[in-house]
Amino acid sequence: MTTYGSFPGSRPRRLRTSPVMRRMVAETRLHPADFILPAFVREGVSEPVPISAMPGVVQHTRDSLKKAAAEAVAAGISGIMLFGVPEESKKDALGTPGTDPDGILQVALRDVRAEVGDELLVMSDLCLDETTDHGHCGVLDELGRVDNDATLERYAEMAQVQADAGAHVVGPSGMMDGQIGVVRDALDQIGREDVSILAYTAKYSSVFFGPFREAVGSSLKGDRKTYQQDPANVRESMRELALDLEEGADMVMVKPAGPYLDILAKVAEAVDVPVAAYQISGEYSMVEAAAEKGWIDRDRAIFETLTGIKRAGARNILTYWAVEAAQKLR
């Protein structure tokens, strides 16, 4: 004889019984407007150049970048973050292409703004690593160390030329002390109070950046451990967060995303400004490689990783799947 009192008093499974039920009670929802597309544009190429370590991602020509931006608008995503890859012969110790009004990134910013106007937030990576012959994110001193304050002077110049070229948002990503305050002052000095700053607040020295080095044609020898954060540290990120907000950051970001969801959650809980996370090249490439081997379901893996990032607190996600994910959501 059945004893009804022995059954569970609560049955959470009732809310998982069908796709429509699960959709209705979902606590986290992805939307095309959540996404920002990182895109690379390479100087001196006539056709897009596939990035071998990032299947499906290319170094764009100026023309193909404009098409990618138009596609991003059609997909309904919020922004495009541009990275410029200059010709190798133009790189130097100071990263001159980064402040040249005719440098590839500035040219690309003008191209994209002309193509999409204000229908897409046009964002620019503000860092020297793509443009220096040594591959570091800053200027080196006589001992080969990254000189923080000399680098800030270069960042100020970069901010101004990027704003002049049409950037809606600049993203200082070099992890130099004081970079947000210097960039804000530089923009305000030329009357560009309208240009926002997306602070790379917690950027960790991560092995998952590996494929990105190919994407930007990096000349780096060694590592960036003296300025990017130690993966072992948490409180350090919260200190960086407080400093960035004090210096005038409009938005803050955690990078990488997946291995640092705990940091992302802490940052999101602590602030009242928009929080972004960057799903970086290695995160992308791992899923693509495993899917190519038939080890995982590619689409499910993409949306599971993106959902996890948003659930942890990201308002916006920089991801190489931005347009594809948005198209599928629509």
Side-chain angles (χ1 to χ4, degrees):
M1 182 174 176
T2 301
T3 304
Y4 291 98
S6 66
F7 286 149
S10 297
R11 293 187 179 273
R13 285 185 58 192
R14 278 194 287 264
L15 299 181
R16 305 171 195 153
T17 53
S18 67
V20 70
M21 175 65 82
R22 294 190 294 273
R23 185 179 67 193
M24 185 183 76
V25 302
E27 299 172 29
T28 304
R29 299 181 192 276
L30 294 169
H31 187 279
D34 296 337
F35 303 132
I36 297 165
L37 176 68
F40 309 100
V41 57
R42 179 171 170 178
E43 189 172 26
V45 295
S46 58
E47 298 290 338
V49 179
I51 300 168
S52 63
M54 299 176 68
V57 180
V58 301
Q59 294 172 325
H60 284 286
T61 67
R62 289 175 61 186
D63 284 340
S64 70
L65 178 65
K66 288 188 287 187
K67 292 176 183 176
E71 185 180 39
V73 171
I77 72 171
S78 288
I80 185 168
M81 174 67 79
L82 301 185
F83 297 83
V85 184
E87 292 179 349
E88 198 69 27
S89 62
K90 295 184 178 179
K91 296 181 181 181
D92 59 23
L94 297 177
T96 299
T99 50
D100 180 355
D102 294 320
I104 183 59
L105 179 54
Q106 287 69 252
V107 170
L109 285 166
R110 290 194 290 270
D111 285 344
V112 173
R113 278 302 300 273
E115 184 71 22
V116 302
D118 295 328
E119 293 187 83
L120 186 70
L121 283 175
V122 180
M123 306 178 173
S124 56
D125 179 61
L126 201 164
C127 195
L128 288 171
D129 58 324
E130 298 100 324
T131 60
T132 54
D133 55 12
H134 47 73
H136 276 288
C137 297
V139 178
L140 304 184
D141 65 15
E142 64 278 3
L143 298 178
R145 302 170 300 189
V146 175
D147 186 325
N148 191 93
D149 295 0
T151 299
L152 294 182
E153 294 181 18
R154 300 290 293 135
Y155 285 3
E157 294 180 61
M158 292 182 75
Q160 292 177 341
V161 297
Q162 289 178 4
D164 285 342
H168 294 107
V169 181
V170 296
S173 61
M175 292 300 290
M176 296 296 122
D177 294 341
Q179 64 184 12
I180 302 305
V182 164
V183 167
R184 184 70 270 160
D185 285 348
L187 292 169
D188 291 351
Q189 284 172 15
I190 62 169
R192 295 310 306 271
E193 295 88 352
D194 58 316
V195 175
S196 299
I197 299 176
L198 170 58
Y200 284 59
T201 292
K203 183 178 180 182
Y204 283 87
S205 181
S206 171
V207 70
F208 294 103
F209 285 120
F212 182 85
R213 305 282 162 80
E214 178 190 346
V216 296
S218 175
S219 305
L220 181 68
K221 302 292 189 295
D223 58 53
R224 299 186 172 118
K225 293 181 179 180
T226 64
Y227 44 102
Q228 293 179 352
Q229 288 182 232
D230 186 337
N233 293 346
V234 177
R235 286 191 295 271
E236 184 177 37
S237 290
M238 304 311 289
R239 184 183 184 195
E240 293 279 6
L241 174 65
L243 290 169
D244 283 354
L245 293 174
E246 182 181 337
E247 291 174 23
D250 299 291
M251 299 169 276
V252 298
M253 183 159 68
V254 175
K255 181 180 182 182
Y260 298 93
L261 293 181
D262 60 325
I263 308 300
L264 175 58
K266 285 180 178 293
V267 168
E269 186 176 355
V271 302
D272 56 5
V273 300
V275 177
Y278 196 148
Q279 186 180 54
I280 67 171
S281 58
E283 299 176 73
Y284 171 91
S285 296
M286 285 193 302
V287 171
E288 292 288 348
E292 184 181 354
K293 290 283 189 181
W295 293 339
I296 59 173
D297 181 305
R298 180 179 178 275
D299 283 2
R300 288 184 61 193
I302 290 171
F303 281 100
E304 187 171 335
T305 59
L306 293 173
T307 300
I309 294 166
K310 188 169 182 183
R311 189 184 64 242
R315 185 65 196 86
N316 296 103
I317 304 170
L318 285 81
T319 175
Y320 300 99
W321 291 306
V323 170
E324 178 184 351
Q327 289 170 340
K328 289 175 178 175
L329 286 171
R330 288 167 71 93

